[in-house]
Amino acid sequence: MRQHWLSPGWAFLTLIAVAAAAVLSIGKADTTFAVQPINFTRGTLTGAGFTTSTPGTLAFGPDGRLYVADTNGRIQALTLNPTTKAVTAVQQITTATQLQEVYGITFDPVDGSMWVTNTVSGFGDAGIAPGSGLAGSYPGKVTRICCAPTFATRTDVITGLPVSNSGHQANALEFGPAPDYKLYIAQGSTTNAGVQADPGAGLFQRDEVPTSGALLEADVHDPGFDGNIVYSPPFDYSNSVQQTSGDVSPYAVGLRNPYDIVFHSNGRLYNTDNGPNGGYGQGSATCTTVFAPDANAADELNIITANGYYGHPNRNRGINGADPRQCIYHAGTDPSGSGYTAPIGLLGPSSDGLAEYESGAFGGQMQGDLVYVGWVENDLHRVELSGDGSAVTSNTTLANGFVNPLDVVVGTDGTIYVAEWGGNKITFMQPNQTPVTSMTVTNIFPAGGPLTGGQAVTITGTNFTVGDTSVTLSGTALTNVVVQNSTTITGVTPAAGLGPKDVIVTSLSYASPATLVAGYTYSAGGGIYAPIAAAGDDVSTPLAHEIHAHVTLDGRASVDPDAGGYIAAYEWSENSVVLSTQSIDSKQFVLGEHFVTLKVTDGDGQTDTDIIRINVVAVAENPVQFYCADVTGDGTVNATDLSQVAQRFNMKWLTLAHRLPASGVGYARSADNNANLTIDAIDLMLVAKDFNRVCPQLDRDIRTAALGTEPFMDITNATATSICVTRDAVQTYQLRTITKNVAQGSCPNSVTQEWYQAGYTQTTPYIPGQGRHMGKGGGIFYNDNIFEAERPESLLYEPDSRFPTGWRLGGLMWVIPITLEPLPPDGFPGLEDPWHYHDGLCLWNSGNSVAQNWTQVQCMAQSGNPVWIEKAGWLVHLWAFVTNKTGRFVEVNNDF
């Protein structure tokens, strides 16, 4: 969404050997500047009580404040200290209950009012997502919020925008140029590549409609504007549905999930568009036929023009609008032609927020560049354009290390602000223009390679400059040299002679080059030493679920002791069957003992092997108590814990269920150490057994998970949209009352109150041993892509007539998408939590029938609305409220 960056100019570089080298032209139209390193000081926005949760979009308002929208609908306006970037004041514009989800903010150039996309992400099914209405409805809106300073009036100006069940919805929005200032809305599609499908994760089950997969145009300033979009038939998604009213229409088409748009100062309109994913549906070949394989293509950077077609099919418009070009899928690698316009650049997966860098910082080197953030690769990119803006001349990584960044904006001083959706924070990067006169080289990786060259290497150091830098290995130039940013250069090694070489980086901006002496070594065949394979320590692990466990194979400790030696290949095998050729990988192993061999090959062709023993056991090592007997949560078991258990003696979850007797002390999960739903003599004994013990971090985190979900022991609290939990003023771990459907602002998160976003709905019926899954956000595949012990994505309930609701909470489940985490997530401390996934998972009959290791063809042959998931996970379970004899993190609990 809205993004801009980099900023101010600074004093001229000094001590440059050749004066002419200090001023260079690098292709900016009619612009010259001093080449200087592009350095930033990185920080996080804090102060004035500001917090954010899953921020999705940022925008600077006409008042100079930074507006931050969480995807749950909360919008805040931040006043920032211009020097330190500390937040000095926060105004809450909306709460999480006043809007649906917000993925775009812009300000009306006519009256300064705020306009937002007010929609539903739709994961799982848009019809059951909170606030979306009936299945098949069109819950997307554009809402006007007027006006400063109070922003007290909210008006839904546009209604009836589509939402897919795949996380595609109305995203960014921007006002176009004068004189009409039309509103443009980036609207996502409902298919993967034009064809309704039912594969991976049950997504893309809906045909396109007249307003999906396009950049929409709305003349909202026209006195007669009608924003109420109506379809016939209503409540339907199909290729036959018609738009019967509403003054909103496609401006440009063929966009799969257009996330952001930028009206550039060069007069062009740019857009980031998310490409299709393999396993989620085929590409449309004509209005009635499909291509054989599923579509899978890179994200795109496009120049948008009126009536342009950018390759994502919409058979609805192709048929009903008599525009047959919209029935033909084009990958971004296809050349322009036959009404199709190719992108000007291919981007990494889930490239989202986009902005023009308008600041003159760093001598204007970035002025007019585009910047965007990558959700999957957690980075920030800089795109340099040709003089007329029609082509990309370079795409480099400006910064990385973010957590699922979704948007970026640039302040007038050149400071970059990144909305880290997965990190629950706003990161700023402030231009650091302190004059420098030299650079350094600190490392090259790999540090050695073959005589023939051709090896990709990464060089790190300080103060590298773009546009005038070269790299040699003792005088022989690297090829494909790219200065990614001031600390990173990438390139490819040339052919050279045997032995160590100096890594020399030269820049016209500095009087002397930077050198890493003997930093890279060329190796020839027949090296003195063979490599040393290191497969890691032996592993003993319980079954993660019914038939297998997951084990991470990590051979990165393997080395080649030859000078400049390197590992050229890895191979993991069991009984001569190759399991993986990666240095690190996660594989499934069935019950029993496994001996896995790691074979490594060095650059000389010599090999070595190492064997790791993997023992998958049926029953995990599991302590009798569920976690360390720390009732108060101070990390140590002491007399206070013993007293708290004694006060609650004979209290039962079954009969009290959070209701406090006159004594003010009732059942608390933290006092029920053996998780039998009754506070009894065993709990006293366990406190005594642990007396004076400092609880390990794993036990503390398990306790956090249990207490964070304790309010949902009553299933009606889980199904509320939100709850406010009031706790005892002294014993903050003790619940007192729970108020449902409460706005976050009215639950102040003080010492005695805490607000929870609930909204759990049924995602599977009761499955013996696994429970009735109640998923966060209305879908089994919902997740926020981060692990929070106290905020699981799913709650597991069992029928129990002893409870007033008829349901008993037993377990918790966390979900991290395997598409974002190729290796098991870093969840609970240690190795006890067996994160796992399901290959070829098939669900049908409303989830009552489940199979795994099935092909899509096998699954789709079942009756009863089958859903096939190529790889479902990562998942991990915790039996926080009942014990599981086979292991507290093991998926199936035969006693539940």
Side-chain angles (χ1 to χ4, degrees), residues 21-69:
V23 180
L24 300 174
S25 172
I26 61 169
K28 309 295 183 184
D30 302 317
T31 301
T32 60
F33 47 80
V35 175
Q36 52 192 267
I38 298 173
N39 289 320
F40 293 92
T41 300
R42 192 161 171 167
T44 301
L45 293 187
T46 59
F50 168 67
T51 62
T52 181
S53 177
T54 62
T57 184
L58 306 170
F60 276 100
D63 54 10
R65 294 188 296 175
L66 179 63
Y67 287 74
V68 178

Side-chain angles (χ1 to χ4, degrees), residues 705-896:
L707 294 190
T709 53
E710 186 177 349
F712 302 123
M713 294 167 80
D714 183 340
I715 197 172
T716 62
N717 293 337
T719 57
T721 59
S722 62
I723 58 175
C724 184
V725 178
T726 303
R727 301 176 183 270
D728 184 277
V730 178
Q731 300 167 354
T732 57
Y733 49 85
Q734 173 61 54
L735 304 180
R736 183 172 293 278
T737 61
I738 294 178
T739 307
K740 300 175 184 177
N741 304 320
V742 176
Q744 185 172 5
S746 60
C747 182
N749 293 316
S750 67
V751 173
T752 60
Q753 287 189 317
E754 186 172 0
W755 183 83
Y756 291 78
Q757 184 176 5
Y760 289 90
T761 59
Q762 180 170 319
T763 53
T764 73
Y766 171 66
I767 302 172
Q770 298 185 42
R772 173 189 179 188
H773 290 59
M774 301 292 290
K776 191 73 171 289
I780 191 171
F781 307 107
Y782 171 89
N783 58 75
D784 56 7
N785 303 330
I786 57 175
F787 174 80
E788 295 176 291
E790 68 277 22
R791 298 288 187 271
E793 279 72 36
S794 191
L795 307 173
L796 311 177
Y797 291 86
E798 180 181 47
D800 194 324
S801 60
R802 296 172 297 173
F803 289 77
T805 62
W807 291 95
R808 158 168 76 117
L809 178 62
L812 315 171
M813 183 176 81
W814 290 262
V815 181
I816 297 288
I818 201 168
T819 54
L820 299 183
E821 293 279 354
L823 297 174
D826 185 13
F828 289 95
L831 301 176
E832 187 176 336
D833 56 332
W835 288 85
H836 60 277
Y837 57 83
H838 298 267
D839 274 322
L841 186 66
C842 183
L843 302 93
W844 68 101
N845 293 331
S846 301
N848 285 294
S849 301
V850 181
Q852 59 183 326
N853 297 314
W854 276 23
T855 66
Q856 183 177 354
V857 173
Q858 286 177 298
C859 181
M860 303 316 292
Q862 307 305 308
S863 59
N865 299 317
V867 175
W868 183 78
I869 308 128
E870 181 179 15
K871 197 177 287 289
W874 296 98
L875 313 171
V876 72
H877 300 72
L878 170 64
W879 297 99
F881 298 96
V882 295
T883 54
N884 183 5
K885 295 176 183 177
T886 57
R888 53 191 175 186
F889 288 105
V890 174
E891 179 184 41
V892 176
N893 186 344
N894 291 321
D895 296 328
F896 184 61

Side-chain angles (χ1 to χ4, degrees), residues 263-343:
F263 284 93
H264 196 281
S265 59
N266 64 18
R268 298 183 185 272
L269 173 57
Y270 297 91
N271 143 264
T272 49
D273 189 23
N274 299 155
N277 300 101
Y280 290 90
Q282 297 169 300
S284 177
T286 69
C287 290
T288 57
T289 63
V290 300
F291 292 107
D294 281 2
N296 188 4
D299 285 16
E300 300 177 355
L301 177 65
N302 295 302
I303 296 176
I304 302 297
T305 58
N307 199 38
Y309 175 59
Y310 296 89
H312 177 84
N314 184 311
R315 287 177 168 180
N316 182 291
R317 291 192 296 260
I319 298 170
N320 300 322
D323 187 359
R325 63 181 178 150
Q326 292 197 53
C327 290
I328 304 173
Y329 164 73
H330 290 276
T333 52
D334 292 349
S336 297
S338 301
Y340 160 70
T341 302

Side-chain angles (χ1 to χ4, degrees), residues 541-554:
T541 184
L543 290 170
H545 42 100
E546 294 102 322
I547 61 173
H548 60 255
H550 290 259
V551 176
T552 298
L553 305 175
D554 189 350

Side-chain angles (χ1 to χ4, degrees), residues 627-638 640-646 648 668-673 683 687 695 703 707 733-734:
Y627 49 67
C628 186
D630 175 20
V631 182
T632 60
D634 62 0
T636 303
V637 182
N638 51 37
T640 304
D641 300 305
L642 192 64
S643 172
Q644 294 302 321
V645 174
R648 290 174 170 77
R669 173 65 187 86
S670 60
D672 183 11
N673 297 292
D683 299 308
V687 175
C695 298
R703 180 187 185 277
L707 294 190
Y733 49 85
Q734 173 61 54

Side-chain angles (χ1 to χ4, degrees), residues 289 312 357-358 390 404 433 487 552 630 674 677 697 841:
T289 63
H312 177 84
Y357 189 77
E358 299 177 89
S390 64
N404 300 135
Q433 301 183 96
T487 62
T552 298
D630 175 20
N674 65 341
L677 310 182
Q697 190 61 49
L841 186 66

Side-chain angles (χ1 to χ4, degrees), residues 147-221:
C147 286
T150 62
F151 291 104
T153 303
R154 294 189 302 278
T155 306
D156 295 332
V157 179
I158 297 173
T159 58
L161 294 174
V163 169
S164 78
N165 69 331
S166 50
H168 291 186
Q169 62 283 315
N171 296 312
L173 73 172
E174 292 285 358
F175 284 96
D180 48 22
Y181 297 115
K182 291 182 180 179
L183 184 66
Y184 295 85
I185 307 156
Q187 173 62 52
S189 66
T190 60
T191 66
N192 185 51
V195 181
Q196 183 188 105
D198 193 0
L203 303 181
F204 300 113
Q205 297 170 322
R206 294 178 171 172
D207 287 320
E208 302 288 351
V209 296
T211 53
S212 62
L215 182 62
L216 303 176
E217 181 182 58
D219 191 359
V220 295
H221 295 114

